[in-house]
Amino acid sequence: MEKIVINGGHRLRGEVAISGAKNAAVALVAATILCDEPCVIENLPEISDIAICLRIFKAMGADVQIINKHTIRFDTTRIREPKVPYELARSMRASSYFLGTLLGRFHEAYVPLPGGCDLGDRPIDQHLKAFSVLGATDDIQNGCVHVKADALVGGQIFFDFNTVGGTMNAIFAAVKAQGLTIIENAAKEPHIVDLANFLNSMGADIRGAGTDVIKIRGVEYLKGITYAVIPDQIEAGTYMVAAAASRGDVLITNVIPKHLESITAKLRTIGVSVEEFDESVRVCATDGLFIKTNIKTMPHPGFPTDMQPQMSTLLTLAEGTSTVVDDIFDNRFRYASELRRMSADIQVKGTVATITGVKRLTGAPVRATDLRAGAAMVIAGLAAEGTTEISDIYHIERGYEGIVEKLSALGADIKKVYVPSDDELAVSV
Ligand code: EPU
């Protein structure tokens, strides 16, 4: 088993470049299924979620050419059947995007049920509601969601609540449907806007992405293009918090500062200096306790749930008591018990965490319970006295390109090590 080992207490200093956004990239890659010609995506992050997407594509018969480690040419015109292989798709939540893209192209899709995940139950009722507005029926066959439509015809979709995946899937299904689709109460995250820009560059007619109402007029043909994924808002936010937690001074480049506003505002409240430039931000923090604050996660432009574990970790070092409310998913505080091992004072009741600051965190063996929880453990390890050993790091590798290399270059004492698991040790005895 691989682990990340951190000897804490080193200030991060220097410059780090942010990779392409995971949550935009998985949507753009899936969207290539709708393109009638080969297309090239640049600035793809080198993370395991994208690697799984590529394996799914290859298994479905698409031609995937790696031009360089961040640039890939996709020819999905060779896909003949709207079926996603079972085992591969189950390892990736965003595989539900294949429902919308295959439905949009073939008017039919079989995709393994996403099921629950580390964040709790992940239903897709809103996705299916959107498809049904456009004329699709759905049923379950052999563990797969099966959606089918004789024809896709535009209509008015009203989401009951904000859903990123539901909005993505509604766009996928509507982009080549007949007539006008209106999505009300749409998600407004930067990756929704990136998807709309990607499809519009191919010739789609999508207006209003980034607002509550998205209007899509169906088109028949989407042409091949070359397009670069936006920078990752959450990776950038994670390095901002890491810089602060280590009392460092870091210039974070290749970012869109507008996407970081809610994170920047919280950091400033906590007493961290954040300077904004055109495509970079500089984060500096000095010694002493941070200032307590309260956080409530919200859909964009509110404070993102994907930054909650990292920012809560910083609050374990703030004077006084902070309250953090995160009810977007059921299970977003599983990292709290890991932080307690590191001397943090964090108590969780349901969707509310109460954090009372301590003077120092101490290194300990901890687990990455999910992707962002794993990022929080890295941040805690950088700030802590002593050695932190993080297991289950495959979660972290789903969404952070080269995190060990990037943090080492900033001066962290961090490395990835291979440690035989108890089972492997038992076999070798
Ligand atoms: N929900 C339903 N029914 C639906 C769809 C969603 O009940 O049909 C619920 C979810 O269970 C959740 C809430 O609505 O409680 C919001 O879910 P949403 O659909 O917005 O989330 P998602 O599309 O599954 C994406 C990101 C997540 C991020 C959330 C919220 C991708 C691939 N994933 O998930 O990213 O936390 O939006 O912003 O874009 C991560 O990157 O670590 C991550 C978990």
Side-chain angles (χ1 to χ4, degrees), residues 324 326-327 329-333 347-353:
V324 178
D326 189 350
D327 55 10
F329 292 106
D330 300 337
N331 242 343
R332 207 97 224 211
F333 288 110
Q347 308 302 326
V348 179
K349 270 212 178 108
T351 56
V352 182

mmCIF file of all heavy atoms in Angstrom, residues 324 326-327 329-333 347-353:
data_model
loop_
_atom_site.group_PDB
_atom_site.id
_atom_site.type_symbol
_atom_site.label_atom_id
_atom_site.label_comp_id
_atom_site.label_asym_id
_atom_site.label_seq_id
_atom_site.Cartn_x
_atom_site.Cartn_y
_atom_site.Cartn_z
ATOM 1 N N VAL A 324 -18.935 25.008 11.513
ATOM 2 C CA VAL A 324 -18.946 24.725 10.073
ATOM 3 C C VAL A 324 -20.171 23.867 9.760
ATOM 4 O O VAL A 324 -20.360 22.809 10.357
ATOM 5 C CB VAL A 324 -17.658 23.980 9.654
ATOM 6 C CG1 VAL A 324 -17.696 23.645 8.171
ATOM 7 C CG2 VAL A 324 -16.420 24.812 9.986
ATOM 8 N N ASP A 326 -22.153 21.873 6.770
ATOM 9 C CA ASP A 326 -22.041 21.349 5.406
ATOM 10 C C ASP A 326 -23.095 20.270 5.224
ATOM 11 O O ASP A 326 -22.929 19.133 5.671
ATOM 12 C CB ASP A 326 -20.637 20.775 5.172
ATOM 13 C CG ASP A 326 -20.406 20.426 3.695
ATOM 14 O OD1 ASP A 326 -21.379 20.454 2.919
ATOM 15 O OD2 ASP A 326 -19.248 20.137 3.331
ATOM 16 N N ASP A 327 -24.206 20.631 4.573
ATOM 17 C CA ASP A 327 -25.289 19.646 4.404
ATOM 18 C C ASP A 327 -25.485 19.273 2.942
ATOM 19 O O ASP A 327 -26.527 18.758 2.562
ATOM 20 C CB ASP A 327 -26.594 20.157 5.051
ATOM 21 C CG ASP A 327 -26.994 21.524 4.531
ATOM 22 O OD1 ASP A 327 -26.381 21.973 3.549
ATOM 23 O OD2 ASP A 327 -27.908 22.127 5.111
ATOM 24 N N PHE A 329 -23.669 17.029 1.189
ATOM 25 C CA PHE A 329 -23.643 15.560 1.207
ATOM 26 C C PHE A 329 -23.820 15.084 2.647
ATOM 27 O O PHE A 329 -23.589 15.840 3.590
ATOM 28 C CB PHE A 329 -22.306 15.035 0.656
ATOM 29 C CG PHE A 329 -22.140 15.294 -0.819
ATOM 30 C CD1 PHE A 329 -21.276 16.277 -1.270
ATOM 31 C CD2 PHE A 329 -22.852 14.565 -1.758
ATOM 32 C CE1 PHE A 329 -21.131 16.533 -2.627
ATOM 33 C CE2 PHE A 329 -22.716 14.817 -3.112
ATOM 34 C CZ PHE A 329 -21.854 15.799 -3.549
ATOM 35 N N ASP A 330 -24.197 13.794 2.810
ATOM 36 C CA ASP A 330 -24.461 13.244 4.149
ATOM 37 C C ASP A 330 -23.186 13.104 4.973
ATOM 38 O O ASP A 330 -23.217 13.164 6.191
ATOM 39 C CB ASP A 330 -25.044 11.817 4.049
ATOM 40 C CG ASP A 330 -26.335 11.800 3.278
ATOM 41 O OD1 ASP A 330 -26.977 12.869 3.208
ATOM 42 O OD2 ASP A 330 -26.699 10.726 2.741
ATOM 43 N N ASN A 331 -22.087 12.864 4.294
ATOM 44 C CA ASN A 331 -20.931 12.287 4.970
ATOM 45 C C ASN A 331 -19.656 13.098 4.796
ATOM 46 O O ASN A 331 -18.617 12.545 4.506
ATOM 47 C CB ASN A 331 -20.677 10.919 4.301
ATOM 48 C CG ASN A 331 -20.826 9.818 5.290
ATOM 49 O OD1 ASN A 331 -20.805 10.063 6.484
ATOM 50 N ND2 ASN A 331 -20.948 8.596 4.787
ATOM 51 N N ARG A 332 -19.748 14.407 4.961
ATOM 52 C CA ARG A 332 -18.584 15.207 4.591
ATOM 53 C C ARG A 332 -17.635 15.453 5.764
ATOM 54 O O ARG A 332 -16.657 16.176 5.636
ATOM 55 C CB ARG A 332 -19.063 16.520 3.989
ATOM 56 C CG ARG A 332 -18.103 17.129 3.017
ATOM 57 C CD ARG A 332 -18.263 16.929 1.597
ATOM 58 N NE ARG A 332 -17.021 16.626 0.916
ATOM 59 C CZ ARG A 332 -16.771 16.977 -0.335
ATOM 60 N NH1 ARG A 332 -17.653 17.638 -1.034
ATOM 61 N NH2 ARG A 332 -15.657 16.618 -0.910
ATOM 62 N N PHE A 333 -17.932 14.867 6.925
ATOM 63 C CA PHE A 333 -17.072 15.131 8.091
ATOM 64 C C PHE A 333 -16.351 13.874 8.561
ATOM 65 O O PHE A 333 -15.940 13.798 9.721
ATOM 66 C CB PHE A 333 -17.911 15.705 9.237
ATOM 67 C CG PHE A 333 -18.369 17.123 9.006
ATOM 68 C CD1 PHE A 333 -19.703 17.407 8.761
ATOM 69 C CD2 PHE A 333 -17.461 18.173 9.046
ATOM 70 C CE1 PHE A 333 -20.126 18.709 8.554
ATOM 71 C CE2 PHE A 333 -17.877 19.488 8.845
ATOM 72 C CZ PHE A 333 -19.215 19.755 8.591
ATOM 73 N N GLN A 347 -15.694 18.515 16.950
ATOM 74 C CA GLN A 347 -16.824 17.646 17.303
ATOM 75 C C GLN A 347 -17.880 17.787 16.220
ATOM 76 O O GLN A 347 -18.151 18.901 15.776
ATOM 77 C CB GLN A 347 -17.441 18.066 18.658
ATOM 78 C CG GLN A 347 -16.433 18.195 19.798
ATOM 79 C CD GLN A 347 -15.651 16.901 20.045
ATOM 80 O OE1 GLN A 347 -16.170 15.800 19.876
ATOM 81 N NE2 GLN A 347 -14.384 17.034 20.418
ATOM 82 N N VAL A 348 -18.461 16.674 15.817
ATOM 83 C CA VAL A 348 -19.438 16.722 14.723
ATOM 84 C C VAL A 348 -20.772 16.176 15.202
ATOM 85 O O VAL A 348 -20.830 15.104 15.823
ATOM 86 C CB VAL A 348 -18.939 15.883 13.518
ATOM 87 C CG1 VAL A 348 -19.964 15.902 12.388
ATOM 88 C CG2 VAL A 348 -17.596 16.396 13.034
ATOM 89 N N LYS A 349 -21.841 16.935 14.916
ATOM 90 C CA LYS A 349 -23.205 16.429 15.148
ATOM 91 C C LYS A 349 -23.942 16.591 13.841
ATOM 92 O O LYS A 349 -24.212 17.720 13.421
ATOM 93 C CB LYS A 349 -23.899 17.263 16.228
ATOM 94 C CG LYS A 349 -23.682 16.745 17.616
ATOM 95 C CD LYS A 349 -24.884 17.023 18.521
ATOM 96 C CE LYS A 349 -24.614 16.436 19.873
ATOM 97 N NZ LYS A 349 -24.358 17.441 20.880
ATOM 98 N N GLY A 350 -24.230 15.487 13.182
ATOM 99 C CA GLY A 350 -24.952 15.551 11.906
ATOM 100 C C GLY A 350 -24.157 16.320 10.872
ATOM 101 O O GLY A 350 -23.056 15.923 10.491
ATOM 102 N N THR A 351 -24.699 17.456 10.448
ATOM 103 C CA THR A 351 -24.037 18.224 9.382
ATOM 104 C C THR A 351 -23.316 19.459 9.935
ATOM 105 O O THR A 351 -22.992 20.370 9.174
ATOM 106 C CB THR A 351 -25.085 18.665 8.333
ATOM 107 O OG1 THR A 351 -26.114 19.394 9.016
ATOM 108 C CG2 THR A 351 -25.692 17.473 7.629
ATOM 109 N N VAL A 352 -23.099 19.475 11.255
ATOM 110 C CA VAL A 352 -22.458 20.648 11.869
ATOM 111 C C VAL A 352 -21.199 20.218 12.627
ATOM 112 O O VAL A 352 -21.244 19.300 13.447
ATOM 113 C CB VAL A 352 -23.427 21.342 12.866
ATOM 114 C CG1 VAL A 352 -22.769 22.590 13.459
ATOM 115 C CG2 VAL A 352 -24.738 21.699 12.179
ATOM 116 N N ALA A 353 -20.108 20.917 12.364
ATOM 117 C CA ALA A 353 -18.871 20.664 13.110
ATOM 118 C C ALA A 353 -18.580 21.871 13.996
ATOM 119 O O ALA A 353 -18.732 23.014 13.559
ATOM 120 C CB ALA A 353 -17.711 20.436 12.156
#
